[in-house]
Each structure stands twice: as structure tokens, then as C-alpha cells.
Amino acid sequence: MGVTCVCQVPVAEGKSVQQTVDLLHKKLEQLGAVKQGSFCVDCETYHATGNVSGQPSKLLYVMHNSETPLSCLALFEGGPCLIADANFDVLMVKLKSHFQNAKGHKVECRGSRYRYCDFLIKVGTVTMSSSARGISVEVEYCPCVVPGDCWNLMKEFMQSFLSNSVPELPSVFAAKPEGLFAPADCVDTMTQYLELFNKLRKLQIPGSNVR
């Protein structure tokens, strides 16, 4: 896995979510990107039970990524995080006396994968309860694992199809210590998806019905 940036792309003026996604696909194909299947990232939310009286319930997020089908990621609100076997979901059912599933809070991001030279691009529609909440774009620069060494190159590439929607350096990378070898990993990617999902949970946008 290389350095990955996940960002939200606004819905184009006068367009629906799907029409905006189609426009992004067209721009990538015009660049010469080749479609390589599909992807899915999802997130289930659990409330910790039995907490101290008066204390807010801590949240646990269990996330899956089709790029790593044999594992999942469990992130506590505010940390820490755990990379676990895919059967971790079965364990969560057995721990229902400690963690309660927040029904109706599952978020999914599904879409198409594209390859362009050393870049892997994923354009997805983020949905919650069958309602589209927004559009995500994930860009991975595969040959490099040190964000500071390739961010300018990634930013220049994203400008070629995102125009003014290019994000700043993700906060998960900005927090890494300078001068040390601190490679990017799957936790960084999923943390960015979680930040995006939590932001989009609160939004309802025009043209959001998914058929």
C-alpha cells in the first residue's frame, strides 16, 4: 500500500450525485485511466455500554475495505485502533452486552476503481440508509509510503480531474513526526474514510436517492 488521500467531492451545480460521479469517470477516462473493477468501504457504529454514570458513551467503529477482504479495522473514538480478522464481526455479536450496534448508522461507500500509471483512483458514492450523502475520491500513489515525499505530485495529479476540489494534506499525515520514517498504512486510509463518513452523516444533499 502506498500513500493514500481520501476526500469529499461536491456535487456539481445542477447535477445529481450519480451525474457528478459519471462526470468524474469521464474525466479519468479522458486522462487515460483504465477501469479495474469496483470497491466497497463500510462502517458500523457501536455504543459502549456499562459506562460510568454521567460519562458520555464511547463509540467503536468497525470498518471493512474490499481491498483487504481478510481483515477489518476497529477504531475507538479518540483511539486506539485494532486491525483484526474478518470474523471480528462475529465477536461483536457475542459482545452485545458491552457494545450495542447503532441501528441505522451503517455507512457504505461503493464505486469504481481506476488505474492510471502509478496511481490507483476510487470514485465512490457514500450512502446511509439507501440515501446518498456525498461523493468520495480516494487517490493512492503506489510506489511511495512517505507522505512528505510525494504529496506535491499527488496534488498535481488530483488537480487534473478535481480542479478546485483538491484537498490539503490530510490531517492524519500532518500529525506524523517530521524527520522520522513514518510510513503510511491502511489505518491512515480508514481513518480518513471515518472522518469523511462522520462529516457526511449529518448532511442531506439534493439528488440523494439511490436507485
Side-chain angles (χ1 to χ4, degrees), residues 14-197:
K15 303 289 185 181
S16 67
V17 169
Q18 188 56 52
Q19 288 172 329
T20 304
V21 168
D22 291 341
L23 285 173
L24 289 169
H25 288 172
K26 187 176 181 180
K27 287 181 179 180
L28 286 168
E29 289 165 4
Q30 287 174 340
L31 284 173
V34 178
K35 188 175 180 180
Q36 293 186 339
S38 58
F39 79 98
C40 178
V41 175
D42 67 55
C43 176
E44 291 268 17
T45 303
Y46 294 85
H47 294 280
T49 59
N51 57 308
V52 179
S53 179
Q55 294 290 326
S57 177
K58 197 167 186 179
L59 299 177
L60 172 64
Y61 303 99
V62 179
M63 305 182 70
H64 304 85
N65 189 337
S66 57
E67 294 291 310
T68 54
L70 299 181
S71 62
C72 69
L73 198 68
L75 296 99
F76 267 106
E77 186 178 23
C81 66
L82 169 73
I83 299 175
D85 187 275
N87 290 330
F88 189 77
D89 296 291
V90 178
L91 178 62
M92 291 305 296
V93 174
K94 295 181 178 180
L95 292 174
K96 60 184 178 182
S97 60
H98 300 283
F99 294 97
Q100 193 71 38
N101 188 303
K103 300 296 183 182
H105 280 245
K106 182 175 181 178
V107 183
E108 280 190 337
C109 179
R110 293 180 179 271
S112 300
R113 301 166 81 254
Y114 285 86
R115 170 76 67 173
Y116 178 75
C117 298
D118 288 327
F119 292 97
L120 181 62
I121 309 100
K122 301 173 191 172
V123 180
T125 301
V126 181
T127 61
M128 181 175 173
S129 302
S130 299
S131 176
R133 295 302 178 96
I135 302 165
S136 72
V137 168
E138 175 189 334
V139 175
E140 178 182 350
Y141 182 59
C142 302
C144 185
V145 294
V146 181
D149 290 349
C150 63
W151 177 247
N152 288 335
L153 177 62
M154 291 181 67
K155 194 171 182 178
E156 183 177 338
F157 171 67
M158 288 187 284
Q159 283 174 340
S160 66
F161 67 98
L162 293 180
S163 302
N164 297 328
S165 299
V166 176
E168 294 301 319
L169 180 71
S171 58
V172 69
F173 296 144
K176 288 184 179 290
E178 289 187 25
L180 297 177
F181 180 69
D185 56 28
C186 64
V187 176
D188 295 329
T189 302
M190 297 302 270
T191 299
Q192 291 179 69
Y193 269 109
L194 179 59
E195 290 174 355
L196 177 62
F197 289 170

